[in-house]
Amino acid sequence: MDLRIEAALSYDFDAPTDLLLQVELARAAGQNIVEDALFTTPVEGFVRIDGGSAFGTRAWMQAEGRLDVTYRAQVTIDRPDPDWAALTANPPRTMTAEATSFLMPSRYCPSDEFEAFVWAEFDGLDGGARVAAMRDWIEGAFRYVPGTSNSATTARESFVQRQGVCRDYAHVMIAFARASGIPARMASVYAPDVDPPDFHAVAEVWLEDAWHLIDATGMTTASRMAMIGIGRDAADVSFLTSFGMARMVGQKVDVRPV
Amino acid sequence: MDLRIEAALSYDFDAPTDLLLQVELARAAGQNIVEDALFTTPVEGFVRIDGGSAFGTRAWMQAEGRLDVTYRAQVTIDRPDPDWAALTANPPRTMTAEATSFLMPSRYCPSDEFEAFVWAEFDGLDGGARVAAMRDWIEGAFRYVPGTSNSATTARESFVQRQGVCRDYAHVMIAFARASGIPARMASVYAPDVDPPDFHAVAEVWLEDAWHLIDATGMTTASRMAMIGIGRDAADVSFLTSFGMARMVGQKVDVRPV
Amino acid sequence: MDLRIEAALSYDFDAPTDLLLQVELARAAGQNIVEDALFTTPVEGFVRIDGGSAFGTRAWMQAEGRLDVTYRAQVTIDRPDPDWAALTANPPRTMTAEATSFLMPSRYCPSDEFEAFVWAEFDGLDGGARVAAMRDWIEGAFRYVPGTSNSATTARESFVQRQGVCRDYAHVMIAFARASGIPARMASVYAPDVDPPDFHAVAEVWLEDAWHLIDATGMTTASRMAMIGIGRDAADVSFLTSFGMARMVGQKVDVRPV
Amino acid sequence: MDLRIEAALSYDFDAPTDLLLQVELARAAGQNIVEDALFTTPVEGFVRIDGGSAFGTRAWMQAEGRLDVTYRAQVTIDRPDPDWAALTANPPRTMTAEATSFLMPSRYCPSDEFEAFVWAEFDGLDGGARVAAMRDWIEGAFRYVPGTSNSATTARESFVQRQGVCRDYAHVMIAFARASGIPARMASVYAPDVDPPDFHAVAEVWLEDAWHLIDATGMTTASRMAMIGIGRDAADVSFLTSFGMARMVGQKVDVRPV
């Protein structure tokens, strides 16, 4: 699948403010970037660094006043949708050091609290079958309601309140997987099926020695996602992290098949 | 300083249980391991993996029934105590990708909630001077009271309750530093001054392009610590993470200068 | 049903400490106290006050050193088990001021967070039928595991972790009821069926202009409970609330049919 | 002091919705209502009930579509400002049953978590002197920033974040007092000094056998407050509690000396 992506952000900064921007597509297996370009109004000290998980790109910069950012890209996605029924779990002691780190609880995914629930609810299911059952459970139990969660909302609150947006669905999915002994992390992506159009967040789980994307909202699937960045949870993959006061003026994401 | 270390753990497992052990000293700058050896009663599938931050060693294994673990080591520490007053902060845009990751909130260090507090309380202080002031504030405000915290206690609860043990002190220190724009992480260490003797946890902060150890309990200092592992917080550096029910039978840590 | 009750508590207090004791049976409809007596080792300033909800008795006193408390009672319970299917809910605007207060969230029952869950899970059920369904759901979903909760555990954590003891079951039951617009509160009771024998905590819900006891653990029913006190949640009905450090030395509750 | 009060609320309800309104002045010592009147667009089943603490008035009603509420009152306040230095604390065992209930933690005031802090920070101060010191501490440490808290924010979060609005200041004040063994509750009031004009929330503490109003924001004092209702915390004294979806259309509070 070929996608054309355009993302535009506008923010106001009253004082010189350091910020971390994470909107560029990752050079990664399964996606080939045909062309892309990032434009910003003038900033100080622009420097690109690697993403937080040896994957993706982040950019440090310092802005003051109005900052307009535009990112345009064309990408070819060549990634199969996982056949969940066929995927087996890695026993813990076959996990890489990197995968092992994604077993641990994180800011928004306190997976240690979900062990009793997942073992009771998904008992008898392993590997991909379990992941698929957990995904279906979340999609069935939750309602997608913008405005019901905020930047303090963790998987604990989302699980109780049974509502939220893509990041909340992903956090619960990640918490369930880790509580089941399956490494899981968060991916920020562009996808053409997201409604309303926006940056999207999904989970990625470690099965059979590889990472597999999964969207608990049911909006899209792995073969239709262009990946931006990877992290433990939303704390790691925000498209903009500001170290000082920032006021959003506008934001527009447009992703369409070409 | 030369240390002789002996750590002994005993646990009971009713069923075959995967576990991750993290008690061996790290091969790292500032410490030279003269000799060390890890012994366990028979386990299945023992395999060593790297630590979670390109640092240290963890071991996966599967145990059933009684598991006795003994670790013995001799280590020469050659690490100066930081001169905090002289250390300057890295502006965000000079931070490495690795350091940047340790700016983000984590399971036990929701640093996003502490920004108003640290900017009011430590206003006018930067870099090492700020870190030292934050450390002094914590040591002064907190009481070291074993039994008042548990594995669910975050820096939020510790900050309100003003008491805890070494992991709680370290979590608050890390939260303060990250909220101040200073990357911070948790180190598990052996140190001869810990009373009662036990595994110890301290913070490590990123100043002037390097990591510096700091103990908010005031029990010990960088020049007297032998490092085991590094992570975002206690979730990453537990000496034993069990994927199933484990009952501690006994634990003894002995660290003494030689 | 006639019950003979004996409760014995022993605590140590290093310094003179004010405490509130709540172990005596309530003079209340549905139970007739044949005889009862409370004994304590010498204390200062013993004074009885009413319970927190115009129901039951509490006693203030100041203790130092060892405090032994013994309470003995014989009581005749004449209270029917509710026929849940027949009980209809009070529309909010027919509720008394007292019942209305028990619609609000409390320390351990943040019922405001459970609205989406209860409306989705128990949709179509009202009044007693809904209460019975919520009770059955909790008993089915939860495991009774002493030691997995503590004095900081709220219905939010219990709901996520799906385990706990009687107070946790009652807190979730109360949170579900209030989130459904049904006033609910906590009752501390003696009951012969509690295993292991201990003080017991259950919920009480307001239906058809009256309060009805319900035990989400399934251990006992209204016709077999002798009531001690009533409150918003466990914060109000602790058998001992100490305003200073208290060390439990022993506790024994014996309740048997006569 | 004589006040003229006008409060106007407009809400939209898509479906018939039960709601509890609490905007009328309380008949209470220290304030004499010269005249008052409550107007609403047509509603079903309007019924007044007592407030939650034998104080104040609440009204149940069912609304659909647009609901406009107007309340107008003139009141003479004759209540002295407490001389905090002169007020002594009640030893626990001299407290009434009613006062005792306000020692317990509540939804937004988990006072059990603040004991270590208040005993360290306010050591040596008792009674009114302690209350005054706690009030000064909060006013000094906090910033009044609308929009930084929401209906899920407890005294725990406010204490960490050091910012909020009147309800957050009051919650922290109440938590500090209860943790100090001083009964405390929340009062909703009208006051001419609130900027921007709005319903106001303050704490009330129990000293020398009586309740005393205290405003931790420093905006106003007891002699200038007209009381509406009393409760454990904001959960009990909301001016509007809706049992179903409500959309605020407008709200205006005007309080001025006459």
Side-chain angles (χ1 to χ4, degrees):
Chain A
M1 161 170 255
D2 278 40
L3 296 181
R4 179 154 285 288
I5 295 160
E6 178 162 339
L9 310 174
S10 290
Y11 280 80
D12 271 344
F13 299 90
D14 292 340
T17 304
D18 289 295
L19 60 97
L20 190 64
L21 185 75
Q22 192 168 194
V23 301
E24 299 176 87
L25 288 173
R27 264 69 189 165
Q31 60 190 43
N32 180 47
I33 303 173
V34 180
E35 55 172 2
D36 74 336
L38 178 72
F39 308 91
T40 76
T41 46
V43 295
E44 296 289 318
F46 184 98
V47 56
R48 279 197 178 85
I49 59 173
D50 287 343
S53 299
F55 187 98
T57 301
R58 296 177 287 182
W60 276 115
M61 65 197 75
Q62 191 180 73
E64 185 175 7
R66 173 67 52 89
L67 170 69
D68 294 320
V69 173
T70 305
Y71 178 65
R72 290 197 193 93
Q74 184 165 345
V75 61
T76 304
I77 302 171
D78 183 16
R79 180 187 298 120
D81 284 318
D83 174 8
W84 296 106
L87 289 168
T88 59
N90 282 90
R93 59 196 181 284
T94 70
M95 287 176 193
T96 61
E98 192 250 10
T100 299
S101 295
F102 290 104
L103 278 176
M104 306 308 172
S106 60
R107 172 70 175 101
Y108 296 113
C109 306
S111 45
D112 46 309
E113 301 184 10
F114 287 88
E115 289 173 19
F117 173 74
V118 297
W119 286 110
E121 187 74 26
F122 306 107
D123 186 32
L125 293 170
D126 290 308
R130 185 175 185 121
V131 166
M134 294 191 297
R135 199 213 68 79
D136 292 349
W137 187 95
I138 295 169
E139 189 183 354
F142 279 61
R143 286 189 314 136
Y144 194 94
V145 190
T148 57
S149 59
N150 57 44
S151 67
T153 306
T154 75
R156 186 191 305 122
E157 282 80 50
S158 299
F159 179 76
V160 173
Q161 296 169 17
R162 300 289 164 95
Q163 56 190 7
V165 295
C166 60
R167 62 168 251 149
D168 305 304
Y169 280 73
H171 285 157
V172 175
M173 184 74 217
I174 293 166
F176 281 8
R178 290 181 191 163
S180 302
I182 298 170
R185 56 192 198 180
M186 183 176 259
S188 61
V189 306
Y190 294 108
D193 315 297
V194 174
D195 182 30
D198 204 344
F199 294 99
H200 196 47
V202 300
E204 204 178 24
V205 295
W206 179 261
L207 294 170
E208 282 196 25
D209 301 314
W211 290 104
H212 305 273
L213 292 159
I214 189 160
D215 182 1
T217 70
M219 283 182 183
T220 190
T221 62
S223 64
R224 303 171 64 82
M225 298 178 196
M227 299 180 71
I228 303 168
I230 287 288
R232 295 216 178 173
D233 58 28
D236 287 350
V237 297
S238 275
F239 56 88
L240 188 143
T241 306
S242 172
F243 292 80
M245 191 69 75
R247 270 198 314 281
M248 184 193 282
V249 178
Q251 177 185 320
K252 188 167 180 308
V253 175
D254 186 74
V255 182
R256 56 187 67 195
V258 285
Chain B
M1 158 170 257
D2 277 39
L3 295 179
R4 178 154 286 287
I5 295 160
E6 178 162 339
L9 310 174
S10 289
Y11 279 81
D12 271 343
F13 300 90
D14 292 340
T17 304
D18 289 296
L19 61 96
L20 191 63
L21 185 75
Q22 191 169 193
V23 301
E24 299 177 87
L25 289 173
R27 264 70 188 165
Q31 60 190 42
N32 181 48
I33 302 173
V34 180
E35 55 172 1
D36 75 335
L38 178 71
F39 308 91
T40 75
T41 45
V43 294
E44 296 290 316
F46 183 98
V47 55
R48 279 197 178 84
I49 59 172
D50 287 343
S53 299
F55 187 98
T57 301
R58 296 176 287 182
W60 276 115
M61 67 196 74
Q62 191 180 74
E64 185 175 6
R66 172 67 53 89
L67 171 68
D68 294 319
V69 173
T70 306
Y71 178 64
R72 290 198 193 93
Q74 184 166 344
V75 61
T76 303
I77 302 171
D78 182 16
R79 180 187 298 119
D81 284 318
D83 174 8
W84 297 105
L87 288 167
T88 59
N90 282 90
R93 60 195 181 283
T94 70
M95 287 177 194
T96 62
E98 192 250 9
T100 298
S101 294
F102 289 104
L103 277 176
M104 305 308 173
S106 60
R107 172 70 175 100
Y108 296 114
C109 306
S111 45
D112 47 310
E113 301 184 11
F114 287 89
E115 289 173 19
F117 173 75
V118 297
W119 287 110
E121 186 74 26
F122 305 106
D123 186 32
L125 294 170
D126 289 309
R130 185 174 184 120
V131 166
M134 295 192 297
R135 200 213 67 79
D136 291 349
W137 188 94
I138 296 169
E139 190 184 354
F142 279 62
R143 285 189 314 136
Y144 194 94
V145 191
T148 57
S149 58
N150 57 43
S151 67
T153 307
T154 75
R156 186 191 306 121
E157 283 80 51
S158 299
F159 179 75
V160 172
Q161 296 169 17
R162 300 290 164 95
Q163 57 190 6
V165 294
C166 60
R167 64 167 250 149
D168 306 304
Y169 280 73
H171 285 157
V172 175
M173 183 74 218
I174 292 165
F176 281 8
R178 291 181 190 162
S180 302
I182 299 169
R185 55 193 197 180
M186 183 176 260
S188 61
V189 305
Y190 293 108
D193 315 297
V194 175
D195 181 31
D198 204 345
F199 294 100
H200 196 47
V202 300
E204 205 177 24
V205 296
W206 179 261
L207 293 170
E208 283 197 24
D209 301 314
W211 290 105
H212 305 273
L213 292 160
I214 189 161
D215 182 1
T217 69
M219 283 182 183
T220 190
T221 62
S223 64
R224 303 171 64 83
M225 298 178 195
M227 299 180 73
I228 302 168
I230 288 289
R232 294 216 177 173
D233 58 27
D236 287 351
V237 296
S238 276
F239 56 87
L240 188 143
T241 305
S242 172
F243 293 81
M245 192 68 76
R247 270 198 315 281
M248 184 193 282
V249 178
Q251 178 185 319
K252 187 168 180 307
V253 175
D254 186 73
V255 182
R256 56 188 67 195
V258 285
Chain C
M1 159 169 257
D2 278 39
L3 295 180
R4 178 155 286 288
I5 295 160
E6 178 162 340
L9 311 173
S10 291
Y11 279 80
D12 272 344
F13 300 91
D14 292 340
T17 304
D18 288 298
L19 61 95
L20 191 64
L21 185 75
Q22 192 168 193
V23 301
E24 299 177 87
L25 288 174
R27 263 71 188 165
Q31 60 190 42
N32 181 48
I33 303 174
V34 180
E35 55 172 1
D36 73 336
L38 178 71
F39 308 91
T40 75
T41 46
V43 295
E44 296 289 317
F46 184 98
V47 57
R48 280 196 177 87
I49 59 173
D50 287 343
S53 298
F55 188 98
T57 301
R58 296 177 286 183
W60 276 115
M61 66 197 76
Q62 191 180 74
E64 184 175 5
R66 172 66 54 88
L67 170 69
D68 294 320
V69 173
T70 305
Y71 177 65
R72 290 198 194 93
Q74 185 166 345
V75 60
T76 303
I77 302 171
D78 183 16
R79 180 188 298 118
D81 284 319
D83 174 8
W84 296 105
L87 289 167
T88 59
N90 282 91
R93 60 196 181 284
T94 70
M95 287 176 194
T96 62
E98 193 251 9
T100 298
S101 295
F102 290 103
L103 277 175
M104 306 308 172
S106 60
R107 172 70 175 100
Y108 296 114
C109 305
S111 45
D112 46 309
E113 302 184 11
F114 288 88
E115 289 173 19
F117 173 74
V118 296
W119 288 109
E121 187 73 28
F122 305 106
D123 186 30
L125 293 170
D126 290 308
R130 185 174 184 122
V131 166
M134 296 192 296
R135 200 214 68 79
D136 291 349
W137 188 95
I138 295 168
E139 190 183 353
F142 279 60
R143 286 189 313 137
Y144 194 93
V145 190
T148 56
S149 58
N150 58 43
S151 68
T153 306
T154 75
R156 187 190 305 120
E157 283 79 50
S158 298
F159 179 74
V160 172
Q161 296 169 16
R162 299 290 164 96
Q163 56 190 8
V165 294
C166 60
R167 63 168 251 148
D168 306 305
Y169 280 73
H171 285 156
V172 175
M173 183 73 218
I174 293 166
F176 281 9
R178 291 181 190 163
S180 302
I182 298 170
R185 55 192 197 179
M186 182 176 262
S188 60
V189 305
Y190 294 108
D193 315 297
V194 175
D195 182 29
D198 203 345
F199 293 101
H200 196 47
V202 300
E204 204 178 24
V205 296
W206 179 260
L207 294 170
E208 283 196 23
D209 301 315
W211 290 105
H212 305 273
L213 292 160
I214 189 161
D215 182 2
T217 70
M219 284 183 183
T220 190
T221 62
S223 64
R224 303 171 64 81
M225 298 178 196
M227 299 180 71
I228 302 168
I230 288 288
R232 294 216 177 172
D233 57 28
D236 287 349
V237 297
S238 275
F239 55 88
L240 188 142
T241 305
S242 171
F243 293 79
M245 191 70 75
R247 271 198 314 282
M248 185 193 281
V249 178
Q251 178 185 320
K252 187 167 180 307
V253 175
D254 186 73
V255 182
R256 57 187 67 194
V258 286
Chain D
M1 159 170 256
D2 277 41
L3 296 180
R4 178 155 285 290
I5 295 161
E6 178 162 340
L9 310 174
S10 290
Y11 280 80
D12 271 343
F13 301 89
D14 292 340
T17 304
D18 288 296
L19 60 96
L20 191 63
L21 185 75
Q22 191 169 194
V23 301
E24 298 177 87
L25 288 174
R27 264 70 188 167
Q31 60 191 40
N32 180 48
I33 302 174
V34 180
E35 55 172 1
D36 73 335
L38 178 72
F39 308 91
T40 75
T41 46
V43 295
E44 296 289 317
F46 184 98
V47 56
R48 281 197 177 85
I49 59 172
D50 286 343
S53 298
F55 188 100
T57 300
R58 296 177 286 182
W60 277 114
M61 66 196 75
Q62 191 180 74
E64 185 174 6
R66 172 66 54 89
L67 170 70
D68 295 320
V69 173
T70 305
Y71 178 65
R72 290 197 193 94
Q74 185 166 343
V75 61
T76 303
I77 302 171
D78 182 16
R79 180 188 297 119
D81 284 319
D83 174 8
W84 296 106
L87 289 168
T88 60
N90 282 91
R93 60 196 181 283
T94 70
M95 287 176 193
T96 61
E98 193 251 9
T100 299
S101 295
F102 290 104
L103 278 175
M104 306 308 171
S106 61
R107 172 71 175 99
Y108 296 114
C109 305
S111 45
D112 46 309
E113 301 184 11
F114 287 88
E115 289 173 19
F117 173 74
V118 297
W119 287 110
E121 187 73 26
F122 305 106
D123 186 30
L125 293 170
D126 290 308
R130 186 175 183 121
V131 166
M134 294 191 298
R135 200 213 68 79
D136 292 348
W137 188 95
I138 295 169
E139 190 183 354
F142 279 61
R143 285 190 312 136
Y144 195 93
V145 190
T148 58
S149 59
N150 57 42
S151 68
T153 306
T154 75
R156 186 190 306 121
E157 284 79 51
S158 299
F159 180 76
V160 172
Q161 296 168 17
R162 300 289 164 97
Q163 57 189 7
V165 294
C166 61
R167 63 168 250 148
D168 306 304
Y169 279 73
H171 285 157
V172 175
M173 183 73 217
I174 293 166
F176 281 8
R178 291 181 189 161
S180 301
I182 298 169
R185 56 193 198 179
M186 182 175 261
S188 61
V189 305
Y190 294 108
D193 315 297
V194 174
D195 181 29
D198 203 345
F199 293 100
H200 195 47
V202 300
E204 204 179 24
V205 296
W206 179 260
L207 293 170
E208 283 196 23
D209 301 314
W211 290 105
H212 305 272
L213 292 160
I214 189 161
D215 182 0
T217 69
M219 283 182 183
T220 190
T221 62
S223 64
R224 302 171 65 82
M225 299 177 195
M227 299 180 71
I228 303 168
I230 288 288
R232 293 217 178 172
D233 57 28
D236 287 350
V237 295
S238 274
F239 56 88
L240 189 143
T241 306
S242 172
F243 293 80
M245 191 68 77
R247 271 198 313 284
M248 185 194 282
V249 178
Q251 178 184 321
K252 187 166 179 309
V253 175
D254 186 74
V255 182
R256 56 187 67 192
V258 286

